[in-house]
Amino acid sequence: MNAEHKSSDSQASISASISMRRVGAMTLRYWYLLRSSWPRLLDLVYWPAVQMLMWGFLQNYIGQNAGFFARAGGTFIGAVLLWDILFRGQLGFSISFLEEMWSRNLANLMMSPLKPIEFILSMMIMSLVRLAIGMVPVTILAIAFFGFNLYGLGFALAAFFANLILTSWAIGIFVSGVVMRNGLGAENLAWTIMFVFLPLTCVYYPVATLPGWLQMIAWLLPPTYVFEGMRALLIDQVFRADLMLQAFAINVVLFVAAVVSFLALLKSARRQGSLLQTGE
Amino acid sequence: MPASAAVAVDRLVKVYKGGMAVAGVSFSLASGSVTGLLGGNGAGKTTTIAMIMGLVEPTSGSVSVLGAEMPRQRHRVLQRMNFESPYVEMPMRLTVRQNLTVFARLYDVDDVAARIAELAAELDLVDLLDRPSGKLSAGQKTRVSLAKALLNAPELLLLDEPTASLDPDTADWVRSRLERYRAERGATILLASHNMNEVERLCERVIIMKKGLIEDDASPGELLARYGRRTLEEVFLDVARGRGEAREAAQ
């Protein structure tokens, strides 16, 4: 490598810094998009509210007829609210990416100075915005209908939320990479991939319910620790910090793996010419 | 690469699963020049431009843009170039102003509102600024795409069929704006087009591609003389139908 190349590389590494202005520009773009359509805003609240109400009433019914469930007040509602953080977090991320595919704007972005990490950061921010719009009204409904105050979990809620949102971003980043590489034919993955986690992460039942071999797989997934931790808190009134730390450690590995995959899929997309052909 | 070259392409090859799109092309573009890239469908024009932009990675060969190797060092120069194509759309539900604002910030334009106002006046977009981009006509969309491409006053402007599907009046208007921009900014322009009148009017040099290779490379005047034709369209047809090869064989 000659001196000129070395100089170019060092300039390239300097230019690898993140521009918050570009992150802000992309966040603004998604915000414009979101506020331009009231049905989309309504959709953010509608399904989480329906889910929460259904599970809340089911919990009330079972609680009236079984002593254990009467003691375990709020586990179903808590589970459905935490599940929605995981599911909606990933969807919020992936939808921002899909918007670029649907509007055939990816080439415009990829030849602008926007860096992949800035693109990812903006979608992470929008996932939080979408989550807040969808979940805050639903958590208030849970208090009004069932007296279940998610915010009453205090610090534990922060730990649950941090772990769930990290997992949702990791999955969102990976799925976006797959869609970028393979086109909109892979779009369904964005809508359905999280449902694999529903039985495996034991959202509504203890891990011990699973057969032994499946339990091993379940413990590889950070949300399993969160849902187990939530049950420990609501049923036994114990905050399991150990579970949260283990979940966080796995999340760090998952997140790094997702970003590396996204960059590898982007490189592959450049090789295959997929950035120009964003259809199916 | 010559010191004054804005773009240098060296033995560029791109092979997709479906076959070879670009089969080894080399050329350089002098700073401030306007070059037309001609060729039939599947000749390799769009793939060549995409490799210059860093959107597609070459199978072999190299591309240097404003001194940076593409795509590896693209972030050094992407702020100094831009691109316009009717086949790459602006987000439809955003208004024109919102779209231009987002892209102006992406390109780190200093005074976003002032730059948008300046371009809107220049490209006759003032009345369209608050309309959703998806509700514009083809001609209006082209003007908006052109505004997006000029937001950062690029030193290198890549245009892929900038006047495709436009009526003659709007197409002429777009060409005038491009001529003016080049004269004012001294920008290097590479233009892929099927419109021979456009190429004759705007370009001082024409590269003709066929089956992934450069078939000819000269000024419009030289091409007309070389093929003994009166228009570039006739030259294009000669090349497309292999008459150029026949003529060379006869000579």
Side-chain angles (χ1 to χ4, degrees), chain B residues 5-17:
Chain B
V7 175
V9 170
D10 185 30
R11 287 167 288 174
L12 200 60
V13 173
K14 183 65 202 175
V15 182
Y16 291 123
K17 276 180 190 164

Side-chain angles (χ1 to χ4, degrees), chain B residues 24-35:
Chain B
V25 300
S26 300
F27 60 86
S28 61
L29 305 181
S31 284
S33 62
V34 182
T35 306

Side-chain angles (χ1 to χ4, degrees), chain A residues 194-217:
Chain A
M194 219 33 131
F195 289 107
V196 174
F197 285 67
L198 191 55
L200 287 178
T201 58
C202 305
V203 179
Y204 297 113
Y205 40 79
V207 178
T209 313
L210 298 177
W213 66 273
L214 214 49
Q215 284 185 33
M216 286 192 288
I217 296 173

Side-chain angles (χ1 to χ4, degrees), chain A residues 8 28 36 53 67 77 96 111 115 153 188 200-201 210 236 273:
Chain A
S8 301
L28 185 66
S36 72
L53 289 171
I77 305 174
S96 295
M111 83 143 298
K115 292 175 183 143
L153 300 180
N188 265 353
L200 287 178
T201 58
L210 298 177
D236 304 324

